[in-house]
Amino acid sequence: LRDGTYTYIYADYTTLKNSKGKIVGHMGLQVDINERKRSEAALRKSETHFRLLGEHSSDIIWVYNFKTLSLTYISPAVSRILGWSVDEIQGTPYSKTVHLRDRKILRKHIIAWAIEYRKTKVTNRAWSIQLRHYAKDGHIVWIESSINFKENDEGAIEVVGVSRDISDKKKGEEDLLYSNYHDQLTDVYNRRYLEDHLTTIISKKEFPLAIISCDVNGLKLTNDVFGHSLGDALLKQSADLLQSFAYGHDMVIREGGDEFLMLLPYTTKERAQERVSQIKEKASTICIEKSSLSLSFGVAVMESEDDSYKDVYSLAEHYLYREKLVVSSLYKEKIITLLQDSLFEKYPYIKTHSEDVASLSKLLAIELGLDQHNIDEIYIAGMLHDLGKIGFEENLIYPTQTLSESEQFLLQRHSELGFHILRSAQHYGKIADWVLSHHERPDGKGY
């Protein structure tokens, strides 16, 4: 052009010939095509941008044609996220990689959205769906896809999607849900799970529904004597044992402390009691510090939805505590005997000393004219008065140098520790009190 710029012209020329066939001139048609060139440039730029976006996007960009029922385009990110190459996926149905259980969900939503789009022609509805997909190596990848619709040049509806890997997000959600509904120590369901799902459990009408209430015997005694680490191990073993006898839809729930609950669908009271017997038999083979694991149980059954869960649960608790009064006390007495034997085996001097104290106490009791029952209890107290030393290190029992103030304080606590051990058993109440005070000065001035 005159100003030095250029313009796009479409020219169509033809030659003019005379009667003898000699070229005598030219005739041409010139058309301004600047607008068309600008449109083509814009289109090329758009296509370049789209190609760059598709090839370098961390998400999978894809187009699905409803007429051909296949993917007409998929970006290379499919290889990084799912392991499939573009050639293996393009031209195949979108559902090829979708988890079998999620394909029905996919069809339902896509068809519903497509019908809505056909009616309204409105795009950018922010439709979104989360589905499990198979990677090429077979593992599951959670994919979230943002969906839109358009019509191609042939008038066929196409789905345009952007899909991203949300596996880490889903795992985080699952981990959070798991921690919310499972006891951190034992890994069984917790009380919150029961509270949130009890209505759902009952609505399934899996009657008769057996409710087994369970307590771990001697947990407090174990914690007092051996420490909470062993008490935690006792709870874990109890939970593992109960879980090993939970089948199908059976549930094991830790209600807190030393209490567990088992819910057994389609289980009669007789079958539930058989299960309890099997658990007890197995528990007798599991050793905790030279003693077998001991559990108490109570069983009650919901026969139909007309029964009150609260009432049936209370009945199971009643049976549990009735059994626990006998079983737990006997178990604790057995533990006390084992602790005494262990202490005397570890420290022979304490055994000799305890026998001397017991004999002298018995002689004094006889001299005071006490009855035989009190004489016997005083003798037992003499034998057990140093039981609280069971958890002490040898340097406290047989010190080679003067004990520090903190060590003296710890040693003096053996009276208190012995009291807590003995008080846990039903028949040691008076003896426990005597053990607690056996180092107290008669004038009330302390240890």
Side-chain angles (χ1 to χ4, degrees), residues 26-56:
H26 298 279
M27 181 177 71
L29 174 66
Q30 293 181 322
V31 180
D32 182 352
I33 59 168
N34 281 284
E35 188 63 34
R36 191 178 84 185
K37 282 293 184 180
R38 280 193 291 271
S39 297
E40 290 175 352
L43 181 60
R44 282 196 300 274
K45 184 178 180 180
S46 176
E47 289 174 344
T48 300
H49 285 171
F50 180 77
R51 186 177 67 255
L52 289 172
L53 178 64
E55 291 177 354
H56 299 285

Side-chain angles (χ1 to χ4, degrees), residues 45-245:
K45 184 178 180 180
S46 176
E47 289 174 344
T48 300
H49 285 171
F50 180 77
R51 186 177 67 255
L52 289 172
L53 178 64
E55 291 177 354
H56 299 285
S57 172
S58 59
D59 297 334
I60 304 172
I61 300 172
W62 50 272
V63 179
Y64 176 80
N65 189 292
F66 262 109
K67 185 176 182 179
T68 63
L69 300 179
S70 63
L71 289 160
T72 58
Y73 173 80
I74 193 162
S75 65
V78 69
S79 180
R80 179 181 61 80
I81 295 176
L82 293 176
W84 303 93
S85 70
V86 171
D87 290 340
E88 288 174 315
I89 296 297
Q90 196 161 304
T92 67
Y94 176 67
S95 60
K96 174 180 179 178
T97 66
V98 177
H99 193 285
L100 290 174
R101 294 182 181 176
D102 289 354
R103 289 178 184 177
K104 187 175 181 179
I105 299 172
L106 171 64
R107 286 193 295 269
K108 176 183 175 181
H109 283 82
I110 288 291
I111 292 172
W113 293 337
I115 291 172
E116 185 175 345
Y117 168 75
R118 187 184 293 275
K119 289 178 180 178
T120 63
K121 300 297 182 182
V122 175
T123 59
N124 300 319
R125 280 295 185 92
W127 287 306
S128 180
I129 191 169
Q130 296 180 359
L131 302 169
R132 290 168 293 180
H133 287 249
Y134 295 112
K136 188 174 182 178
D137 63 7
H139 80 273
I140 302 298
V141 180
W142 273 98
I143 298 289
E144 181 178 54
S145 297
S146 298
I147 304 293
N148 249 307
F149 294 86
K150 71 178 186 70
E151 288 187 4
N152 62 16
D153 295 338
E154 299 173 354
I157 294 179
E158 292 185 328
V159 187
V160 180
V162 177
S163 300
R164 61 197 62 84
D165 183 355
I166 59 166
S167 297
D168 289 342
K169 174 185 173 184
K170 295 296 288 188
K171 185 178 185 304
E173 292 174 352
E174 290 169 0
D175 289 346
L176 179 61
L177 184 62
Y178 188 89
S179 64
N180 283 340
Y181 284 145
H182 286 77
D183 179 59
Q184 291 186 351
L185 176 65
T186 61
D187 212 32
V188 298
Y189 287 123
N190 57 19
R191 180 193 291 270
R192 181 175 180 180
Y193 174 85
L194 181 62
E195 291 172 348
D196 289 353
H197 292 80
L198 181 59
T199 302
T200 303
I201 293 169
I202 294 175
S203 69
K204 292 180 180 179
K205 300 181 180 180
E206 297 174 329
F207 301 111
L209 176 65
I211 299 173
I212 301 177
S213 188
C214 170
D215 260 22
V216 182
N217 295 321
L219 178 63
K220 187 178 186 305
L221 178 59
T222 301
N223 285 331
D224 289 342
V225 178
F226 302 106
H228 287 274
S229 59
L230 188 62
D232 288 348
L234 183 63
L235 286 169
K236 289 178 184 177
Q237 287 185 314
S238 300
D240 290 344
L241 174 62
L242 296 177
Q243 195 67 56
S244 70
F245 282 90

Side-chain angles (χ1 to χ4, degrees), residues 213 269 273 296-300 312-324:
S213 188
K269 187 172 184 178
Q273 289 172 332
S296 294
F297 294 91
V299 178
V312 175
Y313 172 78
S314 296
L315 185 59
E317 288 283 282
H318 169 73
Y319 291 140
L320 166 69
Y321 290 126
R322 194 168 69 178
E323 177 177 299
K324 194 173 179 68

Side-chain angles (χ1 to χ4, degrees), residues 205-210 264-269 301-304:
K205 300 181 180 180
E206 297 174 329
F207 301 111
L209 176 65
L264 313 182
Y266 302 120
T267 305
T268 63
K269 187 172 184 178
V301 175
M302 286 185 68
E303 299 292 349
S304 71

Side-chain angles (χ1 to χ4, degrees), residues 6 20 28 33 85 127 179 190 217 242 262 264 288 315 338 347 361 374 390 400 403 438 445:
Y6 62 87
K20 295 180 179 180
I33 59 168
S85 70
W127 287 306
S179 64
N190 57 19
N217 295 321
L242 296 177
M262 293 184 74
L264 313 182
I288 308 291
L315 185 59
L338 288 169
Y347 302 119
S361 299
N374 277 308
I390 185 64
T400 57
L403 296 176
H438 81 271
K445 292 185 177 179

